[in-house]
């Protein structure tokens, strides 16, 4: 029986969260085309006849511009030392760039086994281009690193990836009960779903400047009552989030509520309020208040 931790590392927007959701066969992490969609380490647990893989989804690695950016980078870094295996997820439609090189040289020279996972290969029809990109990723490492081409979106070659992961993991007993899929609480899941709807419905600076906090979550037999605050940094951002006659806030709330009702399998009452917390991304105490503090 194989069992171990597998950290998913890569630049923003390479498909880390999409890959994890595809592997688990259900959505446990939000996924959009916006940078910084993932802000915390999130565990997703796959249990099969071969064993158990505890995946650690991490924020995309980029140069930090504020305290929040530093937190995101640290979240990715922290997931590496205790991993039994690292999946270095890259965008297979592009050759290796400066960001990939920095990750390979500064984070992945640890002795921990690495698999390079080339995502989005379904978007490229030119086989020569795929091979050219593949070679560019091989040159990032001195030693020979296995490379697997996949599509996280369609599920292409995911079975091959899982077989290779199990080969690299140590022998061991299950780390979690067989039925466990994630450690995330409904409060955490709710915050992330609300933030996802904001990311999908807004543009410009709004996605990066927003934090969501559950003020109260009341579980009842027939209905959950949820009271949440959306924090932004400026008055103009607040206006965009509320929208004309409250239209944007209503749209975000309706979309979030419907998804939460599917998850909880009961009615959900969701109340959203928008508040201003100036420069919260640069403020350590505000970051802590919104749950962006390291849990070692």
């Amino acid at each position: 029986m194989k069992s171990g931790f597998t950290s998913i590392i890569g630049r923003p927007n390479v498909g880390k969260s999409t890959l994890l959701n595809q592997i688990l066969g259900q959505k446990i992490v939000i996924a959009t085309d916006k940078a910084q969609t993932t802000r915390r380490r999130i565990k997703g647990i796959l249990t099969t006849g071969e064993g158990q893989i505890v995946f650690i989804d991490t924020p995309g690695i980029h140069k930090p511009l504020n305290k929040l950016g530093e937190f995101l980078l640290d979240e990715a870094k922290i997931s590496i030392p205790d991993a039994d295996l690292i999946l270095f997820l890259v965008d297979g439609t592009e050759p290796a760039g400066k960001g990939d090189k920095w990750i390979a040289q500064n984070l992945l020279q640890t002795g921990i086994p690495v698999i390079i996972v080339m995502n989005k290969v379904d978007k490229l029809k030119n086989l020569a281009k795929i091979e050219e990109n593949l070679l560019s990723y091989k040159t990032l490492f001195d030693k020979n690193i296995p490379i697997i081409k996949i599509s996280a979106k369609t599920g292409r070659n995911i079975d091959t990836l899982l077989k290779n992961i199990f080969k690299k993991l140590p022998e061991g007993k299950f780390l979690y009960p067989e039925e466990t899929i994630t450690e995330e609480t409904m409060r955490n899941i709710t915050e992330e779903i609300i933030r996802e709807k904001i990311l999908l419905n807004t543009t410009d600076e709004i996605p990066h400047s927003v934090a969501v906090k559950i003020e109260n979550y009341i579980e009842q037999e027939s209905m959950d009552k949820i009271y949440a605050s959306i924090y932004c940094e400026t008055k103009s951002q607040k206006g965009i989030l509320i929208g004309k006659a409250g239209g944007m806030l209503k749209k975000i709330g309706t979309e979030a509520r419907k998804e939460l009702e599917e998850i909880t399998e009961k009615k959900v009452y969701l109340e959203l309020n928008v508040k201003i917390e100036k420069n919260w991304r640069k403020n350590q105490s505000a970051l802590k208040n919104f749950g962006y503090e390291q849990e070692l």
Side-chain angles (χ1 to χ4, degrees), residues 18-76:
T18 302
L19 173 61
L20 183 54
N21 288 336
Q22 179 71 246
I23 287 172
L24 297 178
Q26 60 183 279
K27 179 179 174 181
I28 69 158
V29 286
I30 64 173
T32 77
D33 60 359
K34 307 281 177 67
Q36 298 183 20
T37 295
T38 299
R39 286 181 173 174
R40 295 182 297 107
R41 287 169 286 157
I42 296 177
K43 289 180 183 175
I45 302 146
L46 178 71
T47 304
T48 74
E50 293 184 70
Q52 189 175 78
I53 309 171
V54 182
F55 290 98
I56 312 295
D57 185 29
T58 65
I61 295 171
H62 66 291
K63 186 177 180 179
L65 300 175
N66 47 44
K67 290 289 184 183
L68 176 61
E70 291 172 9
F71 169 82
L72 300 182
L73 180 57
D74 287 343
E75 282 287 274

Side-chain angles (χ1 to χ4, degrees), residues 9-16 32-37 58-63 89 91 99-100 103 120:
I9 298 292
R11 292 182 292 109
N13 287 351
V14 293
K16 296 179 295 296
T32 77
D33 60 359
K34 307 281 177 67
Q36 298 183 20
T37 295
T58 65
I61 295 171
H62 66 291
K63 186 177 180 179
L89 195 67
D91 185 342
D100 298 299
I103 293 170
K120 306 182 183 181

